[in-house]
């Protein structure tokens, strides 16, 4: 961990827990657009049209088109050295490591990360817009003809299936919040490092995790291409691109990331 600034690398070698929060910036160098940068997804689409339950009610064809295109695109790109460095660090730290991602593209898992909580859902799962059908893996795309819920049909109701994404106005899965909270509070008094990477700090509750981490005594670091909205909350800020910064930060060599 010799690349980590200050005492953080030493802390990790001495048995600290590490929680990493990632956002769209981590996948930028794989070729996926972020949300709020220029040319980002929210410049081309209105959030309320494609990322809210009301938008889906109004125009489900548009919403499925948006996520189908993103499904297609995410399938064609590959994890970058930033994703691979995080998978490598997890191998070293084992259950002292937790990755919380706002990304829905599945690139962390494809890079080999296993302890991943996808707090905003997954592009590659589908669920029912009406009943509590268990979300299931789905790589299909829907342009025009939309998928319907067979469980609802059996009960004489009509309901569309939808992407398993947490939309604006919706709650995060309480089991995810519980798991993050438990990890943060485990072994009180023992060293704890929190790193946020590639995220604008504009969306809650993810943007507030740094506050909880600090209140529990964590050393906190932000790695981002530009200052984030909550930069001031971090002890350290490294302004850099994640595909370069993360391997250097964790001392992961090019051969370890293939
Ligand atoms: P944003 O698009 O808001 O922010 C991406 C951040 O990554 C910006 O601060 C960029 O400066 C930074 N960045 C860009 N390229 C980078 C690189 N190569 N290395 C490091 N940093 C880089 O994306 P998020 O913060 O992930 O929610 O957005 C949070 C949530 O808002 C998303 O999960 C999504 C969105 O609305 C839903 O869709 C539910």
């Amino acid at each position: 961990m010799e690349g980590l600034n200050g005492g953080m690398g030493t802390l990790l070698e001495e048995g600290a827990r590490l929680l990493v929060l990632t956002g769209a910036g981590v996948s930028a160098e794989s070729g996926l657009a972020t949300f709020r940068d220029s040319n980002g997804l929210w410049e081309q689409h209105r959030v309320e049209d494609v990322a809210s339950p009301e938008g889906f009610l109004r125009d489900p064809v548009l919403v499925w088109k948006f996520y189908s295109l993103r499904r297609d695109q995410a399938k064609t790109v590959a994890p970058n050295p930033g994703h691979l460095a995080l998978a490598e660090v997890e191998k070293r730290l084992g259950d002292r490591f937790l990755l919380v991602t706002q990304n829905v593209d599945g690139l962390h898992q494809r890079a080999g990360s296993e302890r991943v909580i996808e707090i905003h859902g997954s592009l590659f799962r589908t669920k029912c817009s009406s009943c509590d059908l268990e979300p299931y893996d789905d790589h299909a795309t829907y342009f025009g003809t939309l998928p319907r819920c067979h469980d609802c049909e059996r009960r004489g109701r009509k309901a569309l299936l939808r992407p398993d994404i947490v939309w604006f106005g919706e709650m995060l899965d309480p089991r995810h919040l519980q798991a993050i909270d438990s990890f943060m509070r485990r072994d009180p008094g023992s060293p704890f490092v929190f790193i946020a990477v590639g995220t604008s700090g504009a969306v809650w509750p993810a943007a507030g995790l740094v506050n909880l981490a600090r209140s529990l005594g964590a050393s906190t670091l932000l790695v981002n291409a530009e200052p984030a909205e909550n930069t001031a909350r971090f002890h350290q800020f490294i302004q850099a691109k994640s595909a370069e910064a993360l391997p250097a930060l964790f001392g992961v060599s090019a051969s370890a990331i293939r």
Side-chain angles (χ1 to χ4, degrees):
M1 305 287 175
E2 72 271 12
L4 266 179
N5 287 24
M8 287 193 195
T10 320
L11 280 180
L12 291 179
E13 266 154 24
E14 285 171 354
R17 280 162 295 133
L18 171 63
L19 192 150
V20 179
L21 169 70
T22 62
V26 168
S27 295
E29 286 154 281
S30 292
L32 296 180
T34 63
F35 294 93
R36 294 175 182 79
D37 292 306
S38 65
N39 258 329
L41 291 169
W42 294 157
E43 215 169 71
Q44 295 154 34
H45 306 271
R46 287 174 1 134
V47 179
E48 54 274 34
D49 287 344
V50 295
S52 76
E54 297 76 23
F56 186 69
L57 272 178
R58 262 196 314 273
D59 193 347
V61 172
L62 174 77
V63 174
W64 263 119
K65 182 179 171 204
F66 175 73
Y67 288 101
S68 294
L69 289 171
R70 288 182 64 201
R71 274 185 184 178
D72 273 347
Q73 204 189 7
K75 283 180 220 164
T76 65
V77 302
N80 66 53
H83 297 107
L84 294 164
L86 289 171
E88 181 61 27
V89 170
E90 179 181 348
K91 276 194 218 150
R92 296 181 199 164
L93 298 183
D95 72 357
R96 291 196 282 126
F97 177 88
L98 182 65
L99 179 54
V100 176
T101 187
Q102 298 164 87
N103 299 343
V104 297
D105 54 34
L107 288 176
H108 284 303
Q109 291 89 336
R110 284 172 56 198
S113 290
E114 291 177 4
R115 293 169 175 87
V116 187
I117 298 184
E118 295 176 305
I119 48 171
H120 289 170
S122 169
L123 260 186
F124 296 107
R125 275 196 315 266
T126 292
K127 66 179 186 178
C128 180
S129 60
S130 173
C131 76
D132 57 5
L133 176 80
E134 189 63 28
Y136 64 92
D137 291 347
D138 186 12
H139 289 237
T141 52
Y142 305 99
F143 296 98
T145 306
L146 303 185
R148 296 188 172 279
C149 176
H150 296 307
D151 275 21
C152 284
E153 254 160 36
R154 272 194 291 279
R155 278 175 267 144
R157 293 204 311 258
K158 281 187 177 169
L160 289 176
L161 296 173
R162 55 164 275 186
D164 186 20
I165 304 278
V166 180
W167 284 332
F168 285 89
E170 296 184 318
M171 304 288 287
L172 300 197
D173 185 335
R175 290 167 301 184
H176 287 170
L177 295 175
Q178 181 58 51
I180 296 166
D181 199 69
S182 301
F183 181 85
M184 286 211 190
R185 292 180 196 279
R186 206 175 77 193
D187 308 327
S190 73
F192 173 29
V193 176
F194 175 85
I195 302 180
V197 195
T199 177
S200 56
V203 174
W204 290 68
L209 288 180
V210 62
N211 297 333
L212 178 58
R214 278 192 80 145
S215 74
L216 295 168
S219 301
T220 58
L221 168 67
L222 172 68
V223 179
N224 218 46
E226 303 288 337
E229 288 192 15
N230 58 354
T231 305
R233 298 299 305 142
F234 290 82
H235 293 104
Q236 292 178 39
F237 170 42
I238 297 177
Q239 185 159 5
K241 293 192 169 182
S242 55
E244 286 156 28
L246 292 180
L249 198 62
F250 294 119
V252 175
S253 66
S255 61
I257 54 180
R258 295 192 285 268

